Amino acid sequence: MLVLPAVLAVAFLVVPLVALVAGTPWEDFWDRLRTEAVRDALALSAITSLATVGLCVLIGTPLSWVLARVVFPGRALVRALVVVPLVLPPVVAGVALVAALGRTGLIGSWLDESFGYRIPYTTAAVIIAHTFVALPFYVLAVEGVLRSNGARWDDVAATLGAGRWTTFRRVTLPLALPGLIAGCALAWARSLGEFGATITFAGNYPGTTQTLPSLIYSELQGDVEVARTISMVLLLASVLVLAGLRDRWLRVP
Amino acid sequence: MRRRLLIPLAASLALASSLAACSSEEGAGAEAGEKELTVLAAASLTETFTALGEEFEKTHDGVDVTFAFDSSATLAAQAVEGAPADVLATADLRTMDDAVAGGAIDGDPQTFATNVMTLVVPADNPAGISSFADLDKPGVDYVLCVETAPCGVVGAALIADGGITADPASLEVDVKAVLAKVASGEADAGLVYVTDATAAGADVVSIEIPGAETQLLEYPIGVLEQTGDDDLAAEFIELVLSDEGRRVLADAGFGAP
């Protein structure tokens, strides 16, 4: 009774991916990857996704620690607000970023008038858009590990005379490392695939703002073969992330 | 006493009129079942063709005109695949040629309108742009269509012809996205069709591009091979080509063929 829908569900998820692999023009795979547009987009995606992960670690780790360890009024609210971009449609994230940081936006117009600095159409805008959508993934992963580790080891370190910063650096962080790595992998995958917020907020220009997904979208109207080749690259990257997280997601209890 | 009388009176009047509306709708529906005209038209024709469709229904009792507005390339492909429709109108000759080559068009398509590109700037013109050459001024962020879209091909050609050396800030996926970036003030300027600029009204200011007419887009219309009613399809095309059709198109910014 339940087997047929289950088989259907598996087929539903697997068939499009198999079709993508089958539809990839393998014979010219490397040639297509070597064209200038694809190389530019590959390089830009690599740079922006790594910068996004770096930024997530830099600001996401302290936030995760605060959410997991510090009791303060409104913590539940802050936590909920932080997670909103996780469920927000990416294009809405883009519209929100334009409203805040766009040239006519809340902060963007002030930046433009005061410093003559404009964020849209720059690689920085791509990284900002990616971090906006990737940060919640990172924070949830790290916070989860910090919570499940508990504060016991921190307390032990403190009673042995370690200061708050030493405790964080020498005890809390090493114990949370698996969560940090998982968070990085999730943030990286999210950044690599980000499209809606990027094209809405940062724009689409080869070399500065055209990431792999934006190039796929542009090439769907032009050279479909190129679009399929890049899609294959992103599928491989996703499989790579999954392989890296296999202990977390693929282990059957 | 009066009020008591008035309410049932009003109610019965309302009922009667709604009944009348019902019956007239039913009548139209029954007749429409006999005659229906389906037109595949480029997205940029949405406003004008909708108006012309209503006009056509007025003069042709019991005919129901329905439209499918989409990108010309998509519509041409659908026409070749035998989509059940009577008329095809595209935004450039290339897509119509594809439909003709695919055997989808009965007879020769006729050009009914032209469109050219124009430079648009936000209403407050933050970068102080007064001519096409000003795109080269430092600090100007202008946007174009991506080159896989027809507007991108024409736009890139005009940029090259105009000797503009500054790169665009972004290549948007279609002409409406370019217009939106300019209208919202997120870009200093953009290249769109004259008809888009007209539709945007006071949100943008148009600046003529020298030599824009060398990159003229021609809009052809033709009867589809699979039509069930040659005469009705031909009559619709007649309306589009008539003075009436000309006027509606000109109001929207389209040029004469």
Side-chain angles (χ1 to χ4, degrees):
Chain A
M1 205 56 172
L2 294 176
V3 173
L4 187 64
V7 170
L8 271 177
V10 171
F12 175 69
L13 292 174
V14 171
V15 167
L17 299 182
V18 173
L20 175 63
V21 176
T24 302
W26 289 106
E27 59 280 6
D28 324 312
F29 191 75
W30 292 112
D31 288 338
R32 283 188 215 285
L33 284 190
R34 276 204 288 267
T35 61
E36 199 188 342
V38 176
R39 272 206 320 242
D40 279 352
L42 264 174
L44 187 73
S45 270
I47 291 167
T48 52
S49 61
L50 289 176
T52 299
V53 171
L55 207 57
C56 283
V57 172
L58 212 62
I59 62 175
T61 316
L63 173 60
S64 314
W65 183 81
V66 167
L67 288 176
R69 290 286 192 273
V70 184
V71 181
F72 60 95
R75 182 165 73 159
L77 180 70
V78 172
R79 194 167 183 279
L81 288 176
V82 165
V83 182
V84 168
L86 193 77
V87 286
L88 202 65
V91 64
V92 177
V95 173
L97 284 170
V98 170
L101 301 173
R103 289 180 41 178
T104 53
L106 211 58
I107 303 168
S109 56
W110 173 76
L111 276 177
D112 193 5
E113 279 158 28
S114 311
F115 307 99
Y117 184 69
R118 295 168 179 175
I119 299 174
Y121 315 124
T122 61
T123 305
V126 179
I127 297 168
I128 289 171
H130 287 195
T131 305
F132 185 77
V133 295
L135 191 58
F137 285 88
Y138 179 84
V139 169
L140 282 191
V142 176
E143 194 217 347
V145 171
L146 285 175
R147 268 182 199 279
S148 63
N149 286 347
R152 269 178 52 230
W153 297 108
D154 298 7
D155 294 343
V156 170
T159 55
L160 292 175
R164 225 176 184 186
W165 173 240
T166 310
T167 307
F168 178 73
R169 202 165 47 85
R170 303 284 299 273
V171 179
T172 316
L173 268 191
L175 279 172
L177 202 59
L180 254 75
I181 291 169
C184 286
L186 286 173
W188 184 69
R190 187 69 191 82
S191 165
L192 209 57
E194 161 50 38
F195 168 67
T198 312
I199 205 158
T200 311
F201 174 56
N204 177 39
Y205 195 76
T208 48
T209 53
Q210 189 175 63
T211 57
L212 288 172
S214 303
L215 182 60
I216 292 177
Y217 190 70
S218 299
E219 286 298 346
L220 273 178
Q221 301 182 344
D223 191 342
V224 180
E225 306 275 277
V226 171
R228 289 192 169 181
T229 304
I230 314 166
S231 299
M232 193 62 219
V233 172
L234 287 179
L235 176 63
L236 289 174
S238 314
V239 171
L240 210 69
V241 169
L242 193 60
L245 294 175
R246 63 190 183 281
D247 288 342
R248 260 173 104 83
W249 286 353
L250 295 187
R251 198 175 43 198
V252 177
Chain B
M1 205 47 199
R2 251 196 184 161
R3 187 172 282 175
R4 269 196 197 165
L5 251 174
L6 266 176
I7 292 169
L9 192 66
S12 58
L13 264 175
L15 192 67
S17 63
S18 71
L19 275 175
C22 268
S23 62
S24 71
E25 266 169 26
E26 264 169 27
E31 280 171 85
E34 294 162 25
K35 281 196 169 182
E36 195 167 333
L37 186 75
T38 305
V39 180
L40 308 178
S44 47
L45 295 168
T46 306
E47 294 82 12
T48 47
F49 268 40
T50 305
L52 287 174
E54 279 163 16
E55 184 62 34
F56 193 75
E57 283 174 354
K58 253 184 251 166
T59 51
H60 293 73
D61 248 357
V63 175
D64 199 14
V65 185
T66 54
F67 292 100
F69 296 108
D70 210 320
S71 90
S72 299
T74 307
L75 293 174
Q78 286 175 356
V80 170
E81 281 158 23
D86 307 289
V87 175
L88 172 69
T90 63
D92 66 353
L93 295 176
R94 187 173 52 95
T95 43
M96 182 58 86
D97 288 345
D98 289 347
V100 171
I105 303 295
D106 185 13
D108 288 326
Q110 300 179 67
T111 300
F112 64 94
T114 58
N115 211 348
V116 290
M117 291 207 101
T118 182
L119 184 70
V120 285
V121 297
D124 59 348
N125 197 358
I129 292 170
S130 58
S131 74
F132 187 56
D134 282 350
L135 289 185
D136 250 345
K137 285 203 307 191
V140 170
D141 288 330
Y142 74 95
V143 289
L144 290 182
C145 286
V146 67
E147 282 190 35
T148 44
C151 53
V153 178
V154 176
L158 287 170
I159 291 290
D161 290 350
I164 306 293
T165 52
D167 285 331
S170 179
L171 301 175
E172 300 297 315
V173 289
D174 58 32
V175 70
K176 294 290 178 199
V178 172
L179 186 68
K181 276 270 194 290
V182 176
S184 65
E186 288 299 322
D188 295 318
L191 263 63
V192 300
Y193 295 121
V194 167
T195 50
D196 297 307
T198 307
D203 289 342
V204 298
V205 177
S206 285
I207 295 168
E208 210 177 305
I209 302 173
E213 67 283 351
T214 60
Q215 300 284 344
L216 202 68
L217 271 110
E218 294 182 68
Y219 283 57
I221 190 166
V223 178
L224 287 171
E225 194 60 50
Q226 58 262 33
T227 179
D229 195 332
D230 282 332
D231 295 338
L232 202 61
E235 277 170 40
F236 182 78
I237 292 176
E238 249 167 59
L239 172 68
V240 172
L241 291 165
S242 71
D243 290 345
E244 166 84 25
R246 200 65 294 268
R247 191 183 54 73
V248 171
L249 288 160
D251 284 349
F254 286 102

